[in-house]
Each structure stands twice: as C-alpha cells, then as structure tokens.
Amino acid sequence: MSLHQRPHQKPPATDSLPASAAAAAAAPSRPLPLLTLPYLFSLLALLLLLALLFPWGPPSHSSAPASPWRGYTLQEAAAFAARAGNGTIVLAAVSGPYLPFLSNWLITVRRAGRADQVLVVAEDYDTLERINAAWPGHAVLVPPAPDAQVAHKFGSQGFFNFTSRRPRHLLQILELGYSVMYNDVDMVWLADPFPYIVGDHDVYFMDDMTPVKPLDHSHELPPPGKKGRTYICSCMIFLRPTEGAKLLLRKWIEELKEQPWSKKQKANDQPAFNWALNKTAGQVDVYLLPQSAFPTGGLYFKNKTWVKETKGKHVIIHNNYITGFEKKIKRFRDHGLWLVDEHSDESPLGRI
C-alpha cells in the first residue's frame, strides 16, 4: 500500500446506527420553515418601522425653497439703491474671491456716508447670496453669470470676460434713468468724491498716467499717447443718463467686440474704453477729474514726494500698477489702507 493512500474503510451497517439517526437518514429532505406566520409578521413589522422612520426616502436638495434673489432684477435693484442716492447709484462688480476687497472698499464708502446707494453686481450666484444674506437688496446678478469662481489674473481671458461686461451694466442703468458712479473694488475712499463732480458734464473720469500734472491742470480729454489713444482709467467713472454718455458706452461695447481677447493680444476693457473716448471726442461732454484728488496707484504708492506735497487733497486711491491678490493686500496694509482686519464691524458685510 502506498504511503499516500488511505486504507479503505467500509461504511457502518445500517443496523449499527442509533434508531433516531436511522430515522432521520431515511426521512425525505424538507425546506427550512422561513415562510411561517411568525416570520412574515416580523418582516411586516420591520417594513412598517422603516416607512415611519424614512417616509419619503433620503432628503432631496431639489425640495429646498429657491432663493428669492435669483429673480431679483437689475431694474428692481437699481431702484432700491437709487432711492437712497436721490437718483444716483454707486456701482461695483465683484466675484467671490474679491469679497475681501469689496468689504474693504465698503468700509471707506460707508465712512463717506454713501453706502446706502451702493449696488454690487455679483458675477456668480454664491456671491449674490452671500452679499444679500448680510446686506439684503444691495447685490444683483445680471444673467448670464460668467465663470467667476476664481480670481482671474490681469490679462487673462477670464479677466477680460469679467471686465467686458462692465459697459453693458452701466448702459442698462443709464437707460433706466439713473446717474451712476462705477468703482473697481481695489480702491479706497479717503473722502466723499461727489463734491468733485462739478458742472453738468456727461462723463467724469481719472487719468491713469503717472507723470505729475500741475494742480490747475486742464479737465479736457488728454492728448493720445504712444499707442494713438489716451490712458484714461476705466476703474472710476461717473456718468449721467444723457445721450452723450450712452453714445460713449455703446461705442465702448462696439470696441470690445472689435478687439476680443486672444493669446497674442491679451486685451482688457480699458484700451477699448479709451478708443471709445477718442472716437467720440466732440460728441460727448467729458471731464478729467483732478489728479491730486484721484491719483493712479503708480503715482500715489511710488512718489512719496508728491504724496507729501498734495497731503489732504487725496479722495480716491486706486491700488493698481501692481498685480496679484496678495501683493495688493500687502501694499494696502503697508499704507494703512487695509481696514478689514481691524474694522470689519464697519463693513455692511461684516467679517467675510
């Protein structure tokens, strides 16, 4: 016999099994008694319990009530803001990443007594909800909403798409019969700018050039620069609801269509604004605001001598001539102009 073979064993004879085992072996097989009445009652009770605990299944997000602000129109929002400003709106446009800048700007606008007439064009629905949750009625979204969930860099296509909506917003407000002052949110107010809106001109703006002008400089449109156009900043504009102002805005929209963004020519809205100014010269009554009150960032933050000589005259400061979210904040902090860290209670939005 091989070592790997087991010895053959004979099964025990039937006579040698106990009587009970023999009977069980001889009985035919039956299914387990699962469908008995006690089992069915238990299953039914369990189903009833689950139905009570979860009557409609898992919670559905679609059952949540829709936000009332999604149906809030520019016409309604403009009327709301204009009531506080005797027919004049202070306008800003912002996406989520720039909410801290909006809050910083709002602190200074509030200190000047103009916060109630502010209207913010939110460029995404989350921003719309956040602003109106803290400050009801002061934000509106003008469809379609662009992709504004990221902080677009200056010169990018996203930045162009964001800023190119600006003249359309302004034109719609003028068509409603309101005057409007537009500001970029990387600005701060050191005083109320409205006393500088003198005369009865169509459009008011600030120069974006850094060379120092005499205090009594001309308020006419400056001559074109090296590129054949002027260098007026589209960051701060005041417009009255006149045909001249509407003509300028329509031309601005037209120029943006003729000069779209491309990788080769990374356009933004400001060159188109200047071409519109130059091409409508003589048809629109314009007014250049005093440089001492409305300096560009390239002058205010880089020419300490000029800042000392014009101390007490500054009204709105623009944090331009620098790119980058953190760099702008640092520059504001270095000059004591980043207020949200210690004065967020003065912002209508609270702490963002």
Side-chain angles (χ1 to χ4, degrees):
M1 181 174 61
S2 167
L3 293 175
H4 299 287
Q5 290 179 331
R6 293 183 180 180
H8 180 69
Q9 295 181 353
K10 293 181 179 180
T14 305
D15 294 343
S16 64
L17 293 174
S20 61
S29 61
R30 295 178 181 176
L32 293 174
L34 292 179
L35 298 180
T36 60
L37 283 176
Y39 175 81
L40 290 174
F41 280 126
S42 299
L43 182 61
L44 181 61
L46 179 61
L47 291 174
L48 288 172
L49 178 62
L50 290 173
L52 289 172
L53 291 176
F54 306 102
W56 305 108
S60 172
H61 295 292
S62 61
S63 63
S67 167
W69 300 115
R70 296 210 171 199
Y72 191 45
T73 66
L74 181 61
Q75 183 175 358
E76 294 170 319
F80 172 77
R83 277 196 296 269
N86 196 26
T88 297
I89 296 166
V90 177
L91 187 75
V94 70
S95 59
Y98 288 94
L99 280 173
F101 282 94
L102 173 66
S103 191
N104 193 69
W105 173 75
L106 281 172
I107 292 171
T108 66
V109 174
R110 195 176 207 178
R111 288 178 177 180
R114 297 284 181 176
D116 288 345
Q117 64 196 89
V118 168
L119 177 61
V120 180
V121 175
E123 296 291 6
D124 60 82
Y125 284 106
D126 182 63
T127 300
L128 172 72
E129 300 295 339
R130 290 182 67 183
I131 294 173
N132 281 335
W135 201 27
H138 283 275
V140 66
L141 189 145
V142 182
D147 177 19
Q149 293 294 334
V150 295
H152 294 299
K153 292 182 179 180
F154 180 84
S156 68
Q157 185 172 10
F159 185 84
F160 175 82
N161 293 342
F162 178 81
T163 58
S164 64
R165 288 163 56 87
R166 182 183 311 171
R168 291 181 174 85
H169 301 329
L170 293 170
L171 181 58
Q172 285 179 282
I173 290 172
L174 295 193
E175 295 286 8
L176 291 170
Y178 305 116
S179 295
V180 57
M181 176 180 284
Y182 171 82
N183 274 196
D184 279 355
V185 293
D186 60 343
M187 292 181 139
V188 291
W189 289 18
L190 303 184
D192 184 356
F194 281 91
Y196 294 82
I197 308 299
V198 295
D200 197 26
H201 307 282
D202 296 326
V203 184
Y204 299 71
F205 43 69
M206 55 185 281
D207 203 342
D208 207 20
M209 297 293 286
T210 58
V212 174
K213 299 177 184 292
L215 292 177
D216 60 347
H217 68 75
S218 168
H219 299 290
E220 300 291 328
L221 183 68
K226 294 180 180 178
K227 295 184 179 180
R229 54 175 168 77
T230 49
Y231 290 88
I232 300 301
C233 191
S234 59
C235 55
M236 186 276 174
I237 313 168
F238 178 83
L239 306 108
R240 288 195 168 93
T242 61
E243 289 307 312
K246 294 174 189 177
L247 172 65
L248 174 64
L249 291 175
R250 292 189 186 103
K251 189 62 178 175
W252 187 2
I253 294 168
E254 182 182 314
E255 290 294 321
L256 283 166
K257 291 178 180 178
E258 292 180 4
Q259 302 174 46
W261 186 92
S262 66
K263 290 183 178 179
K264 184 178 181 180
Q265 184 177 346
K266 297 180 179 181
N268 61 77
D269 71 308
Q270 187 160 302
F273 176 59
N274 278 273
W275 283 120
L277 280 170
N278 298 161
K279 292 179 180 181
T280 58
Q283 303 174 68
V284 183
D285 185 2
V286 300
Y287 185 88
L288 177 66
L289 292 161
Q291 184 187 54
S292 58
F294 301 87
T296 184
L299 176 59
Y300 182 84
F301 292 109
K302 296 184 178 182
N303 192 329
K304 294 181 180 179
T305 301
W306 180 87
V307 170
K308 289 180 181 178
E309 291 174 349
T310 55
K311 185 177 180 180
K313 297 181 182 295
H314 313 136
V315 176
I316 291 184
I317 308 302
H318 187 201
N319 195 356
N320 64 343
Y321 276 78
I322 190 172
T323 58
F325 205 79
E326 295 302 327
K327 289 180 181 179
K328 284 179 179 280
I329 293 175
K330 182 180 184 304
R331 184 200 254 178
F332 266 157
R333 281 196 177 117
D334 290 346
H335 289 79
L337 299 175
W338 188 248
L339 307 174
V340 291
D341 290 339
E342 298 180 3
H343 302 280
S344 61
D345 59 316
E346 294 185 52
S347 169
L349 305 181
R351 183 170 290 277
I352 295 295

